[in-house]
Amino acid sequence: MIRTRIDVLGTGAGLLERDKESSCYVINQELMVDLGWCGVTRMPAHGIAPSRIKALIITHTHADHILGLPQFLFFRYLGIARPEESPLEIVGPRSTVEPIVESALAFVKTASRKDAFPITVRPLSPGESWETSSFRLETCKMIHPVPGLCLRLTDLKSGAVIAFSGDTSYNPDLVRISRGADVLIHEATLGAKMPSDDKDGHSGGEEAARVAKEAGVGQFLLSHMPRARRLPALTGAQRHFPAVALLEDGDTIEVVHGFQGGDSVTTG
C-alpha cells in the first residue's frame, strides 16, 4: 500500500516561542509547503536533504511563511558541484512570489558568491493549477490581507489528497477544493473562535472545523497557532468535528488514500 508522507517542520504562528518553528511542511521529501523562519534547519532531524527538494509552494508572502527562503536556497546549493542537474520550481501567488524570490536570490548570491541557481518561478492566480510527474496542485484564494493560495495537493502515485488552508478566515472556496480530501491541515491562529469583527484574515478552531465538516475530509489537523491558543483551538474545533488533532513540530504523517479512520498515522 503506497503512503504519502508529510514531515511537519513547523506548526507555530508569527511569535518567537521556544522549540517552535512557523509553518513549514515537506511532502514525500521532495515538495515543500512554506518555509517558516528557517525551516531548513529542521530537515536533518527528518532525514531530508535540501538538495532533494524539487519544488516549493509558497501560500503567501507574509514573513512567517517565507523568511526561511534565503537559508533554504543557500543550503540547497551549497556543495553541489553541478546544480544545473537539480533544478528547483517555486510556485506562489501571482504578483508577489517573483519579487520575493528575486530578493532572496540577490542576498544568497552575495553571501555565497554563486552564480548558478537553476530556478523556475511559477506565479499562480487563485483557481489556476500546476502539475509535475509526482503532484497535481489546485488552488483557490485565501481570505487574507495579502494575495495567497489555499491548496489541494494530489500525490499522483498514491492518490492521496492533502489540503492546506494557508492563512485564511472561514473560506467557502476552501471547502470546495478540500472536498473529500484525505487530510486537511488548517490554521487556527485565533484559538477557539474568530471574533466577528476580525479583519486579519485568520481562523479559530471553530471556523476551521466548519471547513472540515462541510468538505467531508478524512482527517482534520490543526496547525499554525501560538502555544497558548492550542488547547482552546482544539476544544473549539471538537464542538463541530470531534476527530481532530493538533499537529506538533517534528510530527510525521503517513496518509493512505481513502482514509476512513485508523489508516493515517501521526508520530512524534
Side-chain angles (χ1 to χ4, degrees), residues 223-246:
S223 187
H224 194 48
M225 71 203 83
R227 194 184 305 276
R229 295 179 180 176
R230 291 174 63 79
L231 184 56
L234 179 64
T235 302
Q238 287 173 331
R239 298 188 188 110
H240 306 280
F241 198 104
V244 57
L246 292 173

Side-chain angles (χ1 to χ4, degrees), residues 2 29 37 85 118 129 137 140 151 158 163 165 219 223 238 249 258:
I2 300 176
Q29 299 196 325
W37 298 298
E85 293 184 351
S129 59
L137 174 69
C140 73
L151 314 175
S158 71
S165 70
Q219 189 175 27
S223 187
Q238 287 173 331
D249 292 33

Side-chain angles (χ1 to χ4, degrees), residues 59-60 140-143 149-151 163-168 171 174 178 184-188 203 208 211 223-224:
T59 61
H60 65 295
C140 73
K141 69 177 181 180
M142 291 184 349
I143 302 176
L149 303 170
C150 301
L151 314 175
F164 290 90
S165 70
D167 286 359
T168 185
N171 190 343
L174 176 57
S178 300
L184 169 64
I185 297 177
H186 201 298
E187 66 113 336
S203 292
V211 171
S223 187
H224 194 48

Side-chain angles (χ1 to χ4, degrees), residues 132-189:
T132 71
S133 60
S134 300
F135 296 98
R136 180 172 65 251
L137 174 69
E138 300 162 79
T139 67
C140 73
K141 69 177 181 180
M142 291 184 349
I143 302 176
H144 203 58
V146 299
L149 303 170
C150 301
L151 314 175
R152 178 187 178 95
L153 190 65
T154 302
D155 181 344
L156 297 177
K157 295 178 182 178
S158 71
V161 177
I162 307 159
F164 290 90
S165 70
D167 286 359
T168 185
S169 56
Y170 170 75
N171 190 343
D173 287 337
L174 176 57
V175 173
R176 175 178 54 80
I177 70 164
S178 300
R179 191 156 285 125
D182 296 293
V183 174
L184 169 64
I185 297 177
H186 201 298
E187 66 113 336
T189 305

